[in-house]
Amino acid sequence: MPEGKRMTLLELNGLVSELIETCMGQNSFWVEAEIAGLNERTGHCYLELIEKDATGNTPVARASAVCWRSKWSVVNAHFNRVAGKRLAVGMKVLLKVSPQFHVNYGFSWIVSDIDPSFTLGDMLLKRQRIIAQLKEEGMFDANRSLSLPMFTQRIAVISSETAAGYGDFCNHLEGNEFGYQFHTSLFAAVMQGEGVERSVIAALDQVNRRVEEFDCVVITRGGGATSDLSGFDTYDLACNVVNFPLPVITAIGHDRDESVLDMVSNVRVKTPTAAAALLIDRLHQVDLRIEQAGARILNVVEGRMQQEQMRFKHLSVRIPTLFALVKAKQTGRIDACQSRMETLVRMRVERGKAVVERWESRVANNVATLLANERHRLQLLEQRMEAVDPKRILERGYSITLKEGKAVRSIADLEPGDRMETRLKDGMAISVVTS
């Protein structure tokens, strides 16, 4: 059996309580911590506090705290009024606490005050760091540099499916007084609590996979606690929005403060209804521009038609005169051309006659010369023919022997029995070859 005096748990807790009261008394301490859990019950607020290491990820200290009803109503109202936000998980706070060890429930810190200026400063510092990083990376104005399409009618909505703001947004679009048609597609996401960042990023990824189907994205939550806005003040969510290929409109239902998401979005409005009104008004402005352009085109066309009608009237008056002038001018040109043609023809005819006359003279001379030459040549041929005329040869005592009408030039041309004709000066003798 262990040595020493035994005591009950109640007695031990009582001893601890006396020690804490003796050592620490009623002293209060201002403590920096992050809210890891928050639960309001029966008017009291129960908190789970943590402190994280330098990297901001691993808790290095934990404690429980409670703010009793008598203090909570005052502290909470003051914090909400000054900070413009409600206390929420993930906030860094500066709390005034005193120790208490209850023999029945154990140790806890009793919260008597919360400094809203500290939380504002921490949130502002966190926000400024995110903005500075985005600007340093050259991404801060990326989504704002996109232009909403002229006809922004296909809208991807990121919101809670059961949120009243989502219904207000759709109803306002559908019931617009101009009868414009809008097509909305809901991408459900958690819009309050710790899961806001991951849920909205996942919804943006879904929209991105169908990016060709939409003209813009509307992120709306429509109501909810102001304290839940911390989920919209994160670097990862801001990066997704600034790099998104479509213009992003934020309408997350608050106007006293501006989240990082509001700062990097293409357009920021206060409420879902205001987002719907923005889209309706934009389409109406486009409609008015089209009507105005149509009216200007009509005025220009009517003015041009009037100018052309007056020009046609003026031309109709001038045409007869112009036609007469043109006709007279063309008639003069035709007469001049005809006169020139007649002169040219006469000149060509005269030149042709002269050429013909020259050729006639040359031909006559040439023919006469040619005839004289040919007569002389004939005379020479006659003389030569007379010189070789067989009659002349016969008159000189010669004879010509013919066989079948051809002259016999050699004895080889004759055979026994051939009949020959011998022509003499004064007649012809017929003989037969015997040998």
Side-chain angles (χ1 to χ4, degrees):
M1 180 177 178
E3 296 182 358
K5 182 181 177 180
R6 291 182 296 175
M7 63 178 64
T8 65
L9 178 61
L10 182 61
E11 290 172 337
L12 180 61
N13 284 351
L15 179 60
V16 173
S17 178
E18 290 176 4
L19 289 172
I20 291 175
E21 186 174 350
T22 301
C23 296
M24 304 183 72
Q26 299 298 316
N27 294 328
S28 297
F29 307 91
W30 284 99
V31 179
E32 297 179 16
E34 181 179 326
I35 298 176
L38 186 150
N39 187 15
E40 292 186 60
R41 294 197 310 269
T42 64
H44 311 299
C45 182
Y46 299 90
L47 301 169
E48 290 294 327
L49 305 176
I50 61 172
E51 179 182 349
K52 294 180 179 179
D53 61 12
T55 63
N57 294 321
T58 305
V60 295
R62 291 181 179 272
S64 297
V66 60
C67 187
W68 301 120
R69 181 190 307 162
S70 58
K71 288 287 187 181
W72 175 242
S73 59
V74 177
V75 169
N76 187 42
H78 176 68
F79 185 91
N80 291 345
R81 183 174 63 257
V82 175
K85 301 176 182 295
R86 294 184 59 185
L87 288 168
V89 173
M91 278 188 179
K92 283 189 176 181
V93 290
L94 181 63
L95 308 98
K96 186 177 183 180
V97 298
S98 58
Q100 183 185 71
F101 192 90
H102 195 281
V103 293
N104 299 117
Y105 304 108
F107 181 84
S108 64
W109 293 102
I110 306 302
V111 179
S112 59
D113 198 4
I114 302 175
D115 185 1
S117 61
F118 173 84
T119 302
L120 280 175
D122 181 72
M123 294 176 64
L124 180 61
L125 181 61
K126 176 183 176 183
R127 195 174 295 162
Q128 288 174 344
R129 286 174 180 168
I130 294 173
I131 293 170
Q133 185 175 354
L134 291 172
K135 288 183 177 179
E136 183 179 349
E137 294 169 353
M139 298 190 299
F140 186 76
D141 296 317
N143 197 261
R144 283 208 296 266
S145 66
L146 302 178
S147 299
L148 284 167
M150 183 174 292
F151 298 94
T152 307
Q153 295 174 279
R154 305 175 302 164
I155 304 155
V157 184
I158 297 178
S159 181
S160 172
E161 188 172 4
T162 58
Y166 170 63
D168 293 341
F169 175 78
C170 294
N171 292 335
H172 200 73
L173 285 182
E174 292 174 2
N176 71 86
E177 60 181 311
F178 308 108
Y180 300 140
Q181 296 295 315
F182 293 91
H183 307 282
T184 60
S185 297
L186 174 65
F187 294 83
V190 175
M191 303 306 290
Q192 59 184 4
E194 296 183 8
V196 169
E197 178 187 16
R198 292 191 302 273
S199 184
V200 174
I201 290 175
L204 285 169
D205 290 340
Q206 293 178 33
V207 177
N208 194 36
R209 285 193 287 270
R210 299 167 51 189
V211 69
E212 299 298 331
E213 301 177 22
F214 303 105
D215 300 317
C216 73
V217 177
V218 174
I219 301 176
T220 179
R221 75 178 191 130
T226 307
S227 60
D228 293 327
L229 295 176
S230 59
F232 299 102
D233 282 329
T234 68
Y235 175 78
D236 288 342
L237 179 56
C239 279
N240 274 269
V241 170
V242 296
N243 290 309
F244 205 73
L246 295 177
V248 176
I249 300 172
T250 56
I252 51 182
H254 63 108
D255 57 358
R256 296 201 308 179
D257 202 359
E258 190 176 31
S259 68
V260 173
L261 184 64
D262 290 322
M263 296 179 188
V264 299
S265 64
N266 189 277
V267 180
R268 178 246 178 156
V269 294
K270 297 178 182 179
T271 64
T273 304
L278 169 72
L279 295 171
I280 294 169
D281 182 67
R282 179 174 178 79
L283 199 57
H284 183 55
Q285 294 302 319
V286 172
D287 194 12
L288 290 177
R289 287 175 60 189
I290 293 173
E291 289 183 359
Q292 292 170 359
R296 289 197 298 269
I297 291 173
L298 182 61
N299 290 336
V300 170
V301 171
E302 289 179 347
R304 187 61 180 270
M305 288 181 65
Q306 291 177 357
Q307 291 178 3
E308 294 301 319
Q309 287 176 353
M310 294 189 62
R311 190 168 69 89
F312 289 153
K313 288 182 180 178
H314 183 63
L315 289 175
S316 65
V317 173
R318 293 183 59 194
I319 282 174
T321 303
L322 292 173
F323 180 75
L325 292 174
V326 171
K327 181 180 178 181
K329 185 176 180 180
Q330 295 300 324
T331 302
R333 290 180 62 189
I334 291 171
D335 292 342
C337 288
Q338 183 177 356
S339 175
R340 289 178 60 193
M341 289 178 64
E342 291 176 352
T343 301
L344 291 172
V345 168
R346 283 196 297 271
M347 291 174 63
R348 293 293 296 272
V349 169
E350 293 297 329
R351 286 200 296 270
K353 286 181 178 179
V355 171
V356 170
E357 289 175 354
R358 287 197 300 272
W359 278 105
E360 285 179 348
S361 175
R362 292 174 62 185
V363 167
N365 294 332
N366 290 338
V367 169
T369 301
L370 182 60
L371 289 175
N373 291 336
E374 292 300 319
R375 287 194 189 99
H376 179 67
R377 192 168 68 85
L378 288 175
Q379 289 174 356
L380 293 176
L381 290 174
E382 286 178 354
Q383 292 175 2
R384 291 175 63 187
M385 289 292 291
E386 287 179 357
V388 296
D389 189 356
K391 291 181 178 180
R392 296 283 183 95
I393 295 173
L394 295 176
E395 287 177 355
R396 291 198 298 268
Y398 294 97
S399 64
I400 299 173
T401 301
L402 302 174
K403 175 186 173 182
E404 297 178 355
K406 295 181 181 180
V408 177
R409 299 179 181 275
S410 172
I411 194 68
D413 294 334
L414 298 174
E415 292 181 359
D418 287 341
R419 187 174 180 271
M420 295 185 300
E421 295 177 0
T422 302
R423 292 187 179 183
L424 302 171
K425 175 182 178 183
D426 54 355
M428 181 179 63
I430 298 173
S431 61
V432 176
V433 179
T434 57
S435 61

